[in-house]
Amino acid sequence: MKPVTSTSPSLDTTSNWVEKTFSSLNQEERIAQLIQVAAYSNRDDAHRQEISALVYRYGIGGLTFFQDDAVKQVELTNYYQDKAKVPLMISIDGEWGLAMRLKNTPFFPYQMLLGALSKDKLIYQMGAEIGRQCKRMGIHVNFAPAVDINNNPNNPVINFRAFGEDKHKVAQKGISYMWGLQDQGVMACAKHFPGHGDTDVDSHLDLPVIPHKLERLEEVELSPFQELISHGVGSVMVSHLHVPALDSRPNLPATFSHHIITKLLKEDWGYEGLIFTDALDMKAVANMYPPEIVATKAILAGNDILLNCENVPKAIEEIKRAIQLGQISQEEIDKRCKKVLAAKLWLGLDKYQPVETEGLEEELNSPKVHTLNYEIAKDAITLISNKREVVPLSSHPQKLACLAIGEEGITDFQTILSRETEVDHYHFSEQQNLIQPDSLMSQMGHYDKVLICVHADKMKSTEAYGMHPSYYKLLEKLPSLSSVILIIFGNAYILSKIKHATKCNGIMMAYQNSMYTQRAAVDVLTGKVLAAGSLPVNLGKGFPVGFRC
């Protein structure tokens, strides 16, 4: 493991720039440095003026951008920065790159796919490329990686966003991603502390409960966070979770827990980096109290930065009231303000320059993005079953069919495969589900070998992973065919829901439905490359975490 390096944020609160900047701020402005609000580049001028007023009049510390395109975001960033007394910290939630929020920007794999990789250096390279793009955009913090351990297949909010179920691999891969970002001067953020993996409730909608005992939490959920902290992660995001083993007060989110944030994270673990709340407009906390009370409770618990803080004027007044009541000292507020300023210093905001828009989209969509995406997809392909060595495909003449489930037209996989071998193509989509599965399978029965490709773009369990019931009905007919290779271009958990899947001669997991995974799958099938990936999650049916054929 690489040691903590100079690119691990060192927050020097005693530097001249921090001291000089801090001294220029009044009480309200010092509180405001702890506040970030949500900003959108696809909204009207009224929104722009609202954000501008919060920057100019109240001196908020930063913005988290959501939605639209890169050029508009940069133009707004320059506009807001011009209004700021202290340069703004700009953040984005870009786990799979800028494309998570912005149109026409590079899309990188979800963490579930990354969890299958044998070469973690590819995750580092991805993190570095995302960091380069953030830097080019004037973005200082990327809220990634998620180091939750997804040990609950029914998790509606983490799931494909996690590296998997093995705590060691989750930590290793999270560290690689973190180093990639921070070596580019962009702060990483380990989330969602103390671990959002083992829940079936979405904290955007309600307050999840993590019921495990302390020993289990220390052994599993907390472990990756400790690893990333020991290797220099610049920030941690606290999630809206109720964890009775860490704080037994009823229905108390970790966001509001002094014991979890100040006692455990800051004092017991000695963490000195930035501590962000998760978005304070999420219903898990927003439904409990008015926005200003939510913000104050989060500050009293020990958070450094309030994300998506609503009603900023009232929040500042309520925090001032808490100081007057002796619930928190002015010295503590000042300490956190200096900490935020020290982070801005590390991020280079003491020498802020406007972001150039010329050539922006071309620089973001560099050709190296395509090469890296393919290399990642290729290394992730997991061969789960290979009875009678059906992979790679035989060079001997054979009648070969490819059935694409979930697609109406010729897929990238089918196009590329046709360049390599003779193959007949079939399709079965939601729009075509009136076709009788028996009839379609009867046609497949005339072939020596059948490739059945499941293409599913939806990754959430709440969206059934993009699988129409008719797809499963068709797949139940698999045993009627003599030689089948099943390929999943979608969430790995799909495989656990396919009856009789183990009867297939070959099973290949590609994890996502992209042109990169489809090309990589063809290259494995035709023997150009070996399948190197391993399962990041447990799919039952004899397919445990880490399994590969």
Side-chain angles (χ1 to χ4, degrees):
M1 276 257 178
K2 174 180 171 185
V4 175
T5 69
S6 59
T7 56
S8 299
S10 175
L11 305 187
D12 181 6
T13 58
T14 64
S15 73
N16 290 335
W17 184 82
V18 170
E19 290 288 358
K20 181 180 177 181
T21 306
F22 174 78
S23 298
S24 72
L25 304 177
N26 61 32
Q27 183 190 36
E28 288 81 5
E29 291 169 332
R30 293 174 188 180
I31 294 170
Q33 282 297 304
L34 311 183
I35 292 174
Q36 289 196 10
V37 299
Y40 294 79
S41 50
N42 62 348
R43 293 190 178 177
D44 59 14
D45 190 60
H47 175 72
R48 184 172 69 93
Q49 294 304 325
E50 178 189 356
I51 301 301
S52 181
L54 294 176
V55 172
Y56 180 75
R57 182 176 175 186
Y58 294 98
I60 59 172
L63 305 172
T64 302
F65 268 102
F66 297 85
Q67 296 174 353
D68 210 12
D69 68 45
V71 173
K72 285 185 182 178
Q73 179 169 314
V74 165
E75 289 172 347
L76 281 174
T77 296
N78 290 340
Y79 175 79
Y80 295 137
Q81 290 284 23
D82 185 59
K83 304 290 183 185
K85 179 177 178 179
V86 179
L88 297 161
M89 180 185 293
I90 305 297
S91 305
I92 196 167
D93 201 1
E95 295 165 27
W96 47 90
L98 299 178
M100 185 169 171
R101 301 297 175 190
L102 299 174
K103 297 180 292 187
N104 304 318
T105 55
F107 193 114
F108 287 95
Y110 301 128
Q111 287 188 193
M112 176 179 277
L113 183 150
L114 301 177
L117 294 179
S118 66
K119 300 173 184 173
D120 287 348
K121 69 179 182 180
L122 292 170
I123 302 176
Y124 172 86
Q125 291 169 11
M126 186 197 83
E129 177 57 23
I130 293 173
R132 181 192 72 82
Q133 293 173 20
C134 286
K135 196 86 169 176
R136 180 64 181 85
M137 287 282 298
I139 296 168
H140 310 110
V141 182
N142 184 11
F143 296 130
V147 289
D148 309 288
I149 298 172
N150 198 76
N151 38 25
N152 187 334
N154 297 317
N155 194 312
V157 64
I158 303 301
N159 199 293
F160 67 99
R161 297 166 62 197
F163 290 115
E165 294 184 31
D166 183 299
K167 67 176 184 180
H168 301 294
K169 288 187 177 181
V170 168
Q172 290 165 8
K173 293 173 190 297
I175 290 166
S176 295
Y177 192 168
M178 170 196 77
W179 278 334
L181 289 171
Q182 293 184 176
D183 281 357
Q184 297 296 314
V186 172
M187 186 177 287
C189 183
K191 64 183 188 183
H192 305 80
F193 182 81
H196 205 321
D198 198 2
T199 174
D200 56 7
V201 173
D202 184 346
S203 53
H204 293 86
L205 306 175
D206 205 348
L207 181 65
V209 178
I210 306 296
H212 302 301
K213 294 181 179 178
L214 180 60
E215 294 76 15
R216 149 66 190 251
L217 294 172
E218 291 175 337
E219 176 65 23
V220 181
E221 277 77 10
L222 295 174
S223 177
F225 293 97
Q226 289 180 304
E227 286 293 315
L228 265 72
I229 286 170
S230 70
H231 286 84
V233 71
S235 65
V236 169
M237 179 183 287
V238 179
S239 188
H240 309 315
L241 302 165
H242 178 43
V243 191
L246 298 179
D247 195 324
S248 60
R249 286 174 287 176
N251 299 315
L252 184 77
T255 327
F256 298 163
S257 172
H258 186 273
H259 187 84
I260 292 174
I261 298 170
T262 299
K263 179 68 171 63
L264 176 63
L265 189 52
K266 289 185 173 181
E267 295 177 3
D268 293 352
W269 288 12
Y271 184 57
E272 297 178 347
L274 287 181
I275 300 175
F276 290 87
T277 69
D278 207 340
L280 295 181
D281 54 358
M282 292 165 62
K283 292 183 180 179
V285 292
N287 283 349
M288 289 183 162
Y289 305 100
E292 65 272 19
I293 303 299
V294 168
T296 304
K297 285 182 173 291
I299 285 292
L300 294 178
N303 294 283
D304 298 315
I305 297 183
L306 308 174
L307 282 191
N308 291 20
C309 182
E310 298 183 298
N311 202 333
V312 170
K314 280 192 174 182
I316 291 173
E317 286 304 312
E318 191 63 30
I319 293 169
K320 282 175 61 179
R321 183 169 174 271
I323 296 170
Q324 293 163 1
L325 293 173
Q327 296 172 331
I328 188 170
S329 67
Q330 183 64 51
E331 289 75 18
E332 180 60 28
I333 295 293
D334 292 349
K335 179 181 176 182
R336 293 188 212 172
C337 177
K338 288 184 178 182
K339 190 176 176 184
V340 170
L341 294 174
K344 292 186 175 185
L345 176 64
W346 182 83
L347 292 164
L349 283 167
D350 59 321
K351 301 179 180 67
Y352 166 75
Q353 293 291 326
V355 182
E356 179 59 62
T357 57
E358 186 176 350
L360 177 64
E361 290 190 349
E362 292 80 3
E363 290 180 48
L364 294 178
N365 292 283
S366 161
K368 68 191 262 188
V369 168
H370 300 292
T371 303
L372 180 56
N373 259 313
Y374 169 70
E375 290 299 320
I376 292 172
K378 180 178 68 173
D379 193 61
I381 296 287
T382 305
L383 192 57
I384 299 175
S385 178
N386 194 19
K387 300 170 187 174
R388 294 189 284 173
E389 297 185 341
V390 290
V391 178
L393 296 173
S394 172
S395 57
H396 298 299
Q398 56 183 333
K399 285 190 68 179
L400 185 65
C402 178
L403 170 60
I405 297 176
E407 298 283 7
E408 293 183 53
I410 294 292
T411 65
D412 289 328
F413 176 86
Q414 290 174 320
T415 299
I416 299 167
L417 184 64
S418 291
R419 297 175 192 150
E420 302 291 335
T421 186
E422 269 194 48
V423 56
D424 294 333
H425 297 300
Y426 297 83
H427 301 87
F428 185 81
S429 69
E430 184 177 344
Q431 288 70 32
Q432 298 167 308
N433 69 63
L434 294 177
I435 299 173
Q436 291 298 317
D438 289 337
S439 173
L440 187 55
M441 282 299 176
S442 177
Q443 295 178 65
M444 299 294 104
H446 298 295
Y447 290 89
D448 299 320
K449 191 168 285 148
V450 179
L451 306 174
I452 297 185
C453 301
V454 176
H455 297 267
D457 289 320
K458 303 294 185 183
M459 299 298 288
K460 295 182 178 180
S461 59
T462 52
E463 298 173 312
Y465 304 125
M467 293 290 287
H468 191 268
S470 63
Y471 301 171
Y472 290 115
K473 186 175 181 180
L474 178 65
L475 289 165
E476 285 178 13
K477 308 293 182 180
L478 287 174
S480 67
L481 302 177
S482 59
S483 185
V484 173
I485 300 173
L486 176 65
I487 308 171
I488 307 293
F489 295 108
N491 192 306
Y493 287 120
I494 290 172
L495 181 60
S496 66
K497 299 181 180 298
I498 297 175
K499 293 181 181 179
H500 316 302
T502 54
K503 295 185 182 296
C504 295
N505 291 95
I507 303 175
M508 190 182 295
M509 184 63 66
Y511 301 99
Q512 283 183 236
N513 188 30
S514 75
M515 61 180 178
Y516 304 110
T517 56
Q518 292 180 53
R519 176 185 159 196
V522 172
D523 287 348
V524 171
L525 271 173
T526 55
K528 291 183 178 179
V529 297
L530 295 175
S534 58
L535 281 174
V537 292
N538 195 327
L539 302 179
K541 299 178 180 177
F543 304 140
V545 178
F547 183 85
R548 53 182 291 199
C549 182

